[in-house]
Amino acid sequence: MTGINVNLISQQKLEGLSSQEKIQYILSEIEKGEILVLEKGLTPQEQTQLIEKTMDRVDPNKFIGIEMQGYMSEKTSWLQKILGRIHPPRMTVIGPADKLKTIHKDSSMIKTQVINK
Amino acid sequence: MGVFQKIKNFSFAKKLRAIFGKKHVKIGIYGPPNVGKTTLANRIARDWSGDTLGPASEIPHETRRAKTKENIIVNDGGASLTVDIVDTPGIATKIDYHDFLSYGLSEKQARRRAKEATEGVIEAIRWLENVDGVILLMDCTQNPFTQVNITIMGNLEARELPVVIAANKIDLDQSSPATLKSAFPQHDVIPISALTGYNIDMLYSTMVDRFHKRKRRAA
């Protein structure tokens, strides 16, 4: 029986990686066809780096890109900025765009569909 | 105009800028593909300089290289702002050449467009390093909670870049600027039609107010 793996990645797993390592890890998993649910998502800068790296790797015959959905991190107040406290990014789901589709997203729910071709 | 209205309209910062401000900023127009970025860039350029930046199209990823129009002077009646407008390629997380075939492109054309579009996305992201402010354009007939909108907004907030959200396509029956405003309650959201020019003066006034020159902080 074949299926698609959906892997929950803990905060601890990603915390031990640099931004480049995180992106490399995520992309390599996605290119294998895996869907990842990150307990703590990527920072906005990491998200744009991921999009850049994804665009570098788009291949019309093998890889059309990624589907990624999450919510904005809570805004950091000026006092928290002074204290160096940054709200961590929130739970995020990422997968290959030909296997993961977003059905609905609003301020309280993300609905996705996994496609097993 | 009544006294209360005059008091309400008085902006001390605006008056100071009108007197002292050397105001020349580079403003990027950002958003997903097909929200009307080039149509808006053309409108701004045409309204204030009589020129345009490039062709708009219903086919996604028509703009695949960033285009700049420099030294556009935007005036809101009290203060003015000199703007270099950067019309950026649409940002996307996926590009499938099959999507272009339904617009009548040959496979060869569609593949080339897809390749150029991936390069355009990278270029648009890199331009974030070089702009002083952003008009984030969204299609108010579409769900605003897209990851591209959230990623761009998160980057702008992290870089502390001033942003104006323009809710485009207000001229269409299915438009819902209220949904868009509720999605980004902490930001200025200006409903506009870049195509018809509806409410564009409000956008210009907000641009002058928000994009005055200020020191840009590193992300």
Side-chain angles (χ1 to χ4, degrees):
Chain A
M1 189 173 80
T2 59
I4 294 171
N5 292 348
V6 180
N7 307 330
L8 176 62
I9 311 298
S10 74
Q11 182 179 358
Q12 287 78 7
K13 164 80 178 169
L14 289 184
E15 269 179 355
L17 304 176
S18 69
S19 291
Q20 290 302 323
E21 287 169 338
K22 271 187 221 177
I23 288 158
Q24 180 61 38
Y25 169 74
I26 290 167
L27 267 180
S28 65
E29 293 298 296
I30 289 173
E31 283 181 315
K32 283 188 266 177
E34 313 264 295
I35 291 168
L36 308 179
V37 180
L38 312 182
E39 185 184 13
K40 292 288 179 189
L42 302 172
T43 66
Q45 292 94 331
E46 288 169 343
Q47 288 173 28
T48 48
Q49 287 172 32
L50 177 62
I51 294 171
E52 277 192 73
K53 295 289 181 194
T54 299
M55 289 297 118
D56 258 342
R57 297 193 188 192
V58 166
D59 177 335
N61 300 317
K62 286 190 291 189
F63 181 61
I64 60 167
I66 61 170
E67 182 76 7
M68 172 169 61
Q69 294 296 349
Y71 289 112
M72 290 180 83
S73 50
E74 293 170 54
K75 203 164 184 179
T76 308
S77 71
W78 64 271
L79 182 60
Q80 287 169 322
K81 284 179 187 169
I82 288 171
L83 296 173
R85 290 179 59 188
I86 306 291
H87 282 295
R90 298 164 69 186
M91 184 182 281
T92 301
V93 59
I94 310 178
D98 61 345
K99 290 193 169 60
L100 182 68
K101 301 282 179 203
T102 302
I103 306 302
H104 175 80
K105 184 177 184 183
D106 61 25
S107 59
S108 57
M109 186 181 290
I110 297 168
K111 290 184 182 176
T112 59
Q113 188 174 62
V114 178
I115 298 161
N116 193 3
K117 286 181 183 172
Chain B
M1 182 185 291
V3 174
F4 287 109
Q5 191 61 40
K6 282 184 181 174
I7 292 170
K8 191 180 169 189
N9 289 348
F10 182 82
S11 161
F12 188 66
K14 192 184 283 186
K15 297 304 172 199
L16 275 181
R17 290 200 302 277
I19 297 167
F20 299 112
K22 182 188 176 191
K23 306 167 292 292
H24 192 154
V25 290
K26 200 177 289 286
I27 301 301
I29 301 179
Y30 276 84
N34 263 35
V35 293
K37 294 181 293 301
T38 301
T39 304
L40 177 61
N42 284 339
R43 173 155 297 274
I44 295 171
R46 198 167 45 239
D47 282 356
W48 300 101
S49 75
D51 207 352
T52 58
L53 277 86
S57 164
E58 62 167 353
I59 309 175
H61 296 284
E62 177 69 14
T63 302
R64 301 185 292 284
R65 296 300 306 269
K67 292 174 185 162
T68 305
K69 178 74 180 167
E70 296 180 336
N71 296 313
I72 296 172
I73 300 172
V74 178
N75 195 312
D76 78 343
S80 65
L81 183 73
T82 304
V83 177
D84 297 341
I85 286 287
V86 185
D87 177 24
T88 67
I91 294 180
T93 60
K94 55 180 177 282
I95 294 172
D96 184 353
Y97 81 90
H98 292 97
D99 294 342
F100 303 133
L101 298 176
S102 59
Y103 292 93
L105 271 63
S106 68
E107 184 172 328
K108 187 178 174 187
Q109 289 171 321
R111 282 175 176 266
R112 188 189 320 127
R113 192 182 190 90
K115 173 69 180 158
E116 291 171 358
T118 61
E119 294 164 358
V121 172
I122 293 170
E123 187 184 10
I125 289 171
R126 292 187 178 164
W127 261 102
L128 277 172
E129 298 291 331
N130 297 306
V131 295
D132 301 299
V134 164
I135 298 172
L136 178 51
L137 198 61
M138 300 184 193
D139 179 341
C140 66
T141 68
Q142 303 289 324
N143 184 350
F145 293 96
T146 67
Q147 191 60 37
V148 167
N149 287 342
I150 287 170
T151 296
I152 297 172
M153 187 58 79
N155 270 271
L156 301 179
E157 289 181 352
R159 293 163 198 265
E160 298 189 1
L161 282 172
V163 58
V164 174
I165 298 175
N168 194 27
K169 307 192 184 183
I170 189 74
D171 53 304
L172 299 181
D173 288 342
Q174 63 272 38
S175 68
S176 177
T179 305
L180 210 154
K181 282 185 179 182
S182 70
F184 299 97
Q186 70 277 35
H187 291 280
D188 297 319
V189 177
I190 314 296
I192 63 163
S193 169
L195 189 65
T196 67
Y198 175 82
N199 212 31
I200 206 77
D201 287 341
M202 175 67 80
L203 177 66
Y204 294 148
S205 179
T206 308
M207 284 170 64
V208 172
D209 196 51
R210 292 285 292 135
F211 297 143
H212 58 278
K213 187 72 172 171
R214 66 174 211 169
K215 188 176 178 183
R216 189 168 163 267
R217 296 182 195 174

